[in-house]
């Protein structure tokens, strides 16, 4: 027993089969209660402490301390801004609260450029918690959150099935389900979906993802660098990496969503067959949906509102294009302050602007342009290749290639 307890703190979420054994065993009381139409909130809190301890204790204790400090910081910021909004409405306090919510993530991103190594503020999942925190501040400002309680806010932030890599839930939806557990009938459906999602995750991440990432990807890179097959190896690497990234991340998302379902929460799905998209805009409505919808709602739409309200640009099209470039530049920089992430963001902004231009042209000349299954299939193929090329940029492969060749 002591050896088992000693091994627990070294478990990263969803990385080893034993993690799922723990879920199967420790979730039993919660599942039984949910099948009776009840929610054991005290037990859910106990599970949260247990699973967070497993991820942030032992060698990751510094991350655990950083997480606690982060939670205190964000709770104080959100609580103070909510109290202020009860009596005041100055825009300056809103912008200050947003900046304070973003500050830990900004420092974590920038400090490595000042000093090598991970900053003392770093912990697994800090970006996704920051997105949640900023979301809450913005919705308090918009008067969408009328009843803010720090206890609910903490449970929203540290909901352990999604804490490390999302999906990014919405505060009001989560709190509604926190207060009102699903009925017996609804939970049976959720339970079935949860088990199915976890098995899909096992297939995606541990079988398909493993074959692509551990077996095929190194072979493609080796051929590109050491067998005088640079073009062929690079093309193979592009396709294999794109598929690997999808199956690995979608597999993780299945785990997070399935585990949430077992607890009685309808956490949103993150992927919806993105490689069948017929243009790049549809792709972003299917790929990492919780992140793309977050950027759409809390960055792009607000930026567009400001540009149009202030009449910065006379043309709505110009304003939209500027908004896309700002949005994807921010998204690229969020992934990392390296040139290929920036190029990745600018590449997608360019594709979306071109797609918008094509859709306007197509609408204007729809009687002259063919539209059938063949043209749709062609659009899907072209979009797939455009996406794969963007993910090749995203992977940093080109950077590695140049360093090894030159």
């Amino acid at each position: 027993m002591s050896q088992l307890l000693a091994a627990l703190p070294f478990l990263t979420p969803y990385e080893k089969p034993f993690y799922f054994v723990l879920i199967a065993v420790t979730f039993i009381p919660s599942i039984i209660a949910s099948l009776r139409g009840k929610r054991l909130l005290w037990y859910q809190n106990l599970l949260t402490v247990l699973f967070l301890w497993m991820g942030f204790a032992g060698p990751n204790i510094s991350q655990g301390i950083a997480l606690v400090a982060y939670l205190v910081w964000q709770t104080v910021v959100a609580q103070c801004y909510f109290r202020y909004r009860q009596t005041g409405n100055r825009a300056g306090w809103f912008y200050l609260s947003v900046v304070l919510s973003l500050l830990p993530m900004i420092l974590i991103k920038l400090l490595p450029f000042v000093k090598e190594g991970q900053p003392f503020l770093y912990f697994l999942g800090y970006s996704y918690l920051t997105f949640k925190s900023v979301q809450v501040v913005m919705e308090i400002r918009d008067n969408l959150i009328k009843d803010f309680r720090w206890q609910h806010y903490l449970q929203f932030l540290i909901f352990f099935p999604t804490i490390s890599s999302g999906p990014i839930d919405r505060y009001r939806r989560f709190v509604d389900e926190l207060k009102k557990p699903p009925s017996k009938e609804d939970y049976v459906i959720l339970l079935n979906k949860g088990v199915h999602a976890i098995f899909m995750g096992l297939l995606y991440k541990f079988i398909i993802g493993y074959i692509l990432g551990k077996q095929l990807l190194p072979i493609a890179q080796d051929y590109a660098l050491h067998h005088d097959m640079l073009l062929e190896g690079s093309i193979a690497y592009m396709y294999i990496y794109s598929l690997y990234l999808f199956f690995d991340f979608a597999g993780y998302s299945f785990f997070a969503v399935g585990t949430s379902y077992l607890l009685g929460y309808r956490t949103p799905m993150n992927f919806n067959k993105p490689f069948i998209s017929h243009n790049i805009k549809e792709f972003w409505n299917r790929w990492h949906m919780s992140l793309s919808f977050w950027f759409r709602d809390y960055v792009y739409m607000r930026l567009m509102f400001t540009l149009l309200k202030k009449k910065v640009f006379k043309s709505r099209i110009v304003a939209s294009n500027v908004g896309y470039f700002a949005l994807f530049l921010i998204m690229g920089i969020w992934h990392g302050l390296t040139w290929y992430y920036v190029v990745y963001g600018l590449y997608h902004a360019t594709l979306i602007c071109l797609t918008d231009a094509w859709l306007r042209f197509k609408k204007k000349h729809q009687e002259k342009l063919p539209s059938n299954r063949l043209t749709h299939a062609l659009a899907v193929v072209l979009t797939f290749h455009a996406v794969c090329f963007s993910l090749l940029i995203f992977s940093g492969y080109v950077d590695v290639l140049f360093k090894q060749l030159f």
Side-chain angles (χ1 to χ4, degrees):
M1 184 66 179
S2 61
Q3 293 179 343
L4 174 62
L5 290 174
L8 290 180
F10 300 96
L11 289 175
T12 302
Y14 312 119
E15 288 297 323
K16 295 182 179 179
F18 185 58
Y19 194 87
F20 298 93
V21 174
L22 284 174
I23 288 176
V25 173
T26 59
F27 276 35
I28 290 174
S30 180
I31 292 173
I32 292 174
S34 296
L35 288 171
R36 296 177 178 177
K38 300 178 181 180
R39 189 188 299 288
L40 295 181
L41 194 54
W42 67 269
Y43 189 72
Q44 179 183 312
N45 293 335
L46 183 63
L47 287 176
T48 298
V49 172
L50 172 64
F51 280 89
L52 290 183
W53 173 71
M54 286 191 297
F56 292 102
N60 296 327
I61 188 64
S62 61
Q63 290 193 35
I65 295 171
L67 171 62
V68 172
Y70 176 91
L71 294 173
V72 172
W73 174 268
Q74 296 291 7
T75 302
V76 170
V77 170
Q79 184 70 53
C80 288
Y81 183 64
F82 179 77
R83 288 185 178 180
Y84 166 75
R85 282 289 287 139
Q86 307 308 301
T87 56
N89 191 27
R90 289 187 180 180
W93 289 105
F94 164 69
Y95 292 119
L96 176 62
S97 298
V98 170
V99 170
L100 291 176
S101 291
L102 288 169
L103 186 59
M105 184 174 74
I106 293 172
L107 291 175
I108 292 171
K109 295 286 187 183
L110 294 180
L111 284 178
F113 290 91
V114 178
K115 184 180 180 180
E116 291 187 2
Q118 288 181 349
F120 66 94
L121 295 168
Y122 173 84
F123 62 90
L124 185 66
Y126 69 88
S127 288
Y128 293 92
L129 266 64
T130 300
F131 292 141
K132 287 183 174 183
S133 302
V134 173
Q135 169 205 145
V136 168
V137 170
M138 288 185 170
E139 293 196 345
I140 289 174
R141 193 251 184 141
D142 295 343
N143 240 0
L144 296 174
I145 297 176
K146 302 180 184 297
D147 180 24
F148 177 84
R149 299 188 182 186
W150 66 267
Q151 301 94 325
H152 295 163
Y153 182 61
L154 274 180
Q155 287 168 324
F156 170 64
L157 287 183
I158 61 173
F159 186 58
F160 69 89
T162 63
I163 191 171
S164 59
S165 297
I168 307 167
D169 207 347
R170 300 299 172 98
Y171 176 80
R172 287 174 292 151
R173 194 213 65 78
F174 178 85
V175 172
D176 286 345
E177 292 196 343
L178 181 70
K179 294 178 179 178
K180 185 179 179 181
S183 65
K184 301 176 186 178
E185 296 75 16
D186 288 342
Y187 181 72
V188 170
I189 297 173
L190 274 182
L191 182 61
N192 288 331
K193 288 183 176 180
V195 173
H196 178 263
I198 289 174
F199 275 98
M200 287 296 292
L202 293 172
L203 171 64
Y204 274 37
K205 187 174 179 65
F206 291 136
I207 299 178
I208 301 176
Y210 176 82
I211 293 172
L212 291 169
K214 299 296 183 181
Q215 303 295 321
L216 299 180
L217 205 58
I219 295 174
Q221 187 170 8
D222 181 64
Y223 263 81
L225 295 174
H226 304 296
H227 291 79
D228 295 326
M229 298 179 66
L230 180 60
L231 179 61
E232 296 88 341
S234 297
I235 292 174
Y237 186 94
M238 178 181 75
Y239 291 125
I240 294 169
Y241 177 80
S242 298
L243 294 173
Y244 161 72
L245 187 64
F246 166 70
F247 282 106
D248 183 75
F249 198 8
Y252 166 85
S253 296
F254 269 126
F255 291 147
V257 169
T259 305
S260 302
Y261 284 178
L262 296 185
L263 291 173
Y265 293 85
R266 297 174 181 85
T267 294
M269 293 294 292
N270 232 0
F271 293 89
N272 181 24
K273 303 174 183 177
F275 291 136
I276 66 169
S277 304
H278 65 274
N279 64 49
I280 204 67
K281 295 186 77 171
E282 187 189 7
F283 171 79
W284 280 107
N285 286 328
R286 293 172 174 271
W287 176 274
H288 204 344
M289 294 184 292
S290 66
L291 178 69
S292 62
F293 293 164
W294 189 95
F295 272 99
R296 178 198 66 190
D297 296 343
Y298 298 104
V299 179
Y300 177 76
M301 295 303 295
R302 291 168 189 270
L303 177 60
M304 280 293 295
F305 176 79
T306 301
L307 292 176
L308 294 174
K309 183 180 179 181
K310 302 292 184 181
K311 297 181 179 180
V312 178
F313 301 103
K314 293 182 180 180
S315 169
R316 189 181 183 91
I317 294 173
V318 173
S320 177
N321 290 343
V322 170
Y324 283 135
F325 271 92
L327 169 68
F328 280 97
L329 182 61
I330 292 171
M331 190 181 291
I333 292 173
W334 166 69
H335 280 101
L337 294 173
T338 53
W339 69 267
Y340 46 85
Y341 289 137
V342 174
V343 172
Y344 167 81
L346 295 177
Y347 173 83
H348 270 281
T350 303
L351 287 183
I352 284 198
C353 291
L354 290 174
T355 299
D356 266 355
W358 165 249
L359 291 175
R360 289 193 299 271
F361 178 83
K362 186 178 178 182
K363 184 177 181 180
K364 193 174 181 180
H365 301 85
Q366 57 184 344
E367 295 180 359
K368 300 178 181 179
L369 295 173
S371 180
N372 49 49
R373 290 183 179 181
L374 182 60
T375 59
H376 181 85
L378 178 61
V380 171
V381 171
L382 291 174
T383 303
F384 173 73
H385 284 82
V387 167
C388 287
F389 184 71
S390 77
L391 295 178
L392 179 67
I393 297 170
F394 177 85
S395 71
Y397 172 80
V398 177
D399 191 54
V400 173
L401 197 63
F402 278 140
K403 288 179 180 177
Q404 293 203 25
L405 293 178
F406 305 104

